[in-house]
Amino acid sequence: LPRAVVGYLVATLVILLAAPLLASSAEGLAEATGLGGTFIGTTLVALSTSLPELVTTLAAVRTGAFDLAVGNIFGSNSFNMVILVPVDATPDSEAVFPALLPLLRARPADVALFQVVDRAEGVGAAQEHLEACRSRLAAEGVSARATTVWGRPVDRILEAARRQGFDLIAMGTRGRRGRERELVGSVAEEVVASSPVPVLLCRPDTPIRDWKRILVPLDGTPEAEAALVDASLLAHALGATIHLLRVRLALVTDEGFRGMQFRTPGTDPNPYLVGVSERLGREGLMALPLLREGLPAEEILKAVDELEPGLICLSTEGGPLAERNVTAELIRRAACPVMVRKLQVDKKAPCTA
């Protein structure tokens, strides 16, 4: 404990000493370059002062201290999210509008409607469509800005997310499956596979509820727990209960072999769920453990039908979503919106002999 306290005090002292130097250096830079104090302040100084928050959050996530990361984000940002909402000319893409309302009514957010057309000549018509979308959101008390660009939808959406500092992408999806998906593809699933920020997805036929119950599927790994960053932040902001679900895969035969049944061995997952629940409880959150047995996707879908949560939060390793991938199954079938966080995996250098 003394070492931790000394480390905290030293780090705080460095920040306090560096702040005046940063301000005076920025003023000198503004005078020397002629760019002006406003420009330097809103670019270089803003970036420099945001770095400690970013580094602290990333360090907490990398060490598995997700509760500390959530506290840092929540304390510094007061949940002022910047949300990118890509749409196209079809009503299906607007299915995410009602899914966002529980969040937008609870906390202020900057909403950016974004439409990509395949040629420059279509920009005018797309802008008219976005203005109509803005009017529908305004009727719900939500203000939004609108932008139209041309190019390949997936590329332009990801480019905007990376360059413009969005916290969340919210998209409608048609939930195609099988042969239809192979032929047409899914822009939403391609975005999920490469997005640098969480993606909220909603199908046109999805029931919309408030976000007072959030379901988080876990499998006992730190990678799955990455979804707790989003779920905890939302639960703090909305006063929601987090339901922690773990599905144990058990192979049980009806008849067995010569009257015997076979079950896969494994450790009891319930202490793990209780431990995560208690950890979230220390952060002032209500978290309830739920243990089921069977095929993960099917059991999660059954839990959704029984609990009727307003939202599922989960993480994925990214890459193309396979037809029977659990994340893909939830996106295409779950009876509530799904928020997916793609894991940011560090690429390691190959081993050499």
Side-chain angles (χ1 to χ4, degrees):
L1 180 60
R3 183 176 180 180
V5 171
V6 170
Y8 170 78
L9 292 176
V10 170
T12 303
L13 181 61
V14 169
I15 294 175
L16 292 175
L17 294 176
L21 178 61
L22 176 64
S24 59
S25 300
E27 183 178 2
L29 186 61
E31 293 178 357
T33 60
L35 294 175
T38 300
F39 176 80
I40 296 296
T42 56
T43 54
L44 299 182
V45 175
L47 175 62
S48 300
T49 55
S50 297
L51 285 176
E53 300 288 349
L54 176 62
V55 173
T56 301
T57 301
L58 291 178
V61 171
R62 291 173 68 89
T63 58
F66 297 110
D67 47 0
L68 180 62
V70 170
N72 183 57
I73 296 172
F74 186 72
S76 63
N77 196 353
S78 301
F79 208 67
N80 292 321
M81 297 187 71
V82 186
I83 305 174
L84 178 66
V85 185
V87 297
D88 56 30
T90 66
D92 291 347
S93 68
E94 300 170 23
V96 77
F97 291 175
L100 272 174
L101 290 180
L103 174 61
L104 298 178
R105 287 170 175 164
R107 287 293 184 272
D110 179 11
V111 178
L113 297 172
F114 189 78
Q115 185 164 344
V116 184
V117 295
D118 57 4
R119 58 184 183 277
E121 292 79 8
V123 170
Q127 196 65 31
E128 291 181 6
H129 173 245
L130 288 183
E131 290 301 323
C133 292
R134 286 183 62 187
S135 298
R136 284 193 286 275
L137 288 174
E140 298 289 346
V142 177
S143 60
R145 50 191 170 94
T147 303
T148 304
V149 298
W150 68 279
R152 183 174 180 267
V154 173
D155 295 339
R156 299 309 299 268
I157 291 169
L158 294 174
E159 178 186 355
R162 292 190 181 101
R163 293 186 177 181
Q164 299 180 35
F166 288 98
D167 301 306
L168 176 69
I169 300 174
M171 302 182 66
T173 178
R174 296 168 180 80
R176 293 188 177 101
R177 303 177 65 195
R179 184 60 176 167
E180 182 185 11
R181 178 178 171 274
E182 292 178 7
L183 292 173
V184 180
S186 170
V187 171
E189 290 185 13
E190 285 192 60
V191 170
V192 167
S194 302
S195 175
V197 298
V199 182
L200 175 69
L201 299 168
C202 185
R203 301 187 317 278
D205 59 344
T206 301
I208 302 300
R209 312 177 185 93
D210 61 39
W211 290 6
K212 294 300 183 181
R213 290 187 295 276
I214 300 173
L215 181 65
V216 181
L218 298 174
D219 61 8
T221 65
E223 290 78 13
E225 288 185 29
L228 291 173
V229 174
D230 305 311
S232 299
L233 187 59
L234 291 167
H236 270 299
L238 304 174
T241 297
I242 299 176
H243 295 265
L244 306 170
L245 171 62
R246 184 170 184 183
V247 179
R248 178 168 57 184
L249 180 63
L251 301 179
V252 181
T253 61
D254 292 333
E255 299 296 334
F257 177 71
R258 294 183 179 178
M260 298 177 62
Q261 289 188 330
F262 298 92
R263 184 183 298 269
T264 56
T267 58
D268 182 5
N270 199 49
Y272 162 75
L273 287 178
V274 172
V276 176
S277 176
E278 291 176 348
R279 190 178 78 206
L280 294 175
R282 291 192 292 271
E283 297 300 315
L285 295 170
M286 173 67 72
L288 304 177
L290 176 62
L291 177 63
R292 303 184 75 114
E293 221 173 64
L295 298 175
E298 297 303 321
E299 292 303 319
I300 295 171
L301 291 169
K302 289 178 184 177
V304 171
D305 292 337
E306 295 170 8
L307 295 173
E308 296 187 344
L311 181 70
I312 298 174
C313 286
L314 74 159
S315 61
T316 181
E317 293 183 355
L321 299 182
E323 181 63 25
R324 301 302 296 180
N325 176 282
V326 173
T327 302
E329 284 295 293
L330 296 180
I331 292 172
R332 299 164 194 159
R333 298 171 58 193
C336 69
V338 179
M339 183 178 291
V340 185
R341 170 181 286 271
K342 186 184 82 70
L343 296 173
Q344 305 298 321
V345 181
D346 292 334
K347 295 183 179 179
K348 298 182 180 180
C351 297
T352 57

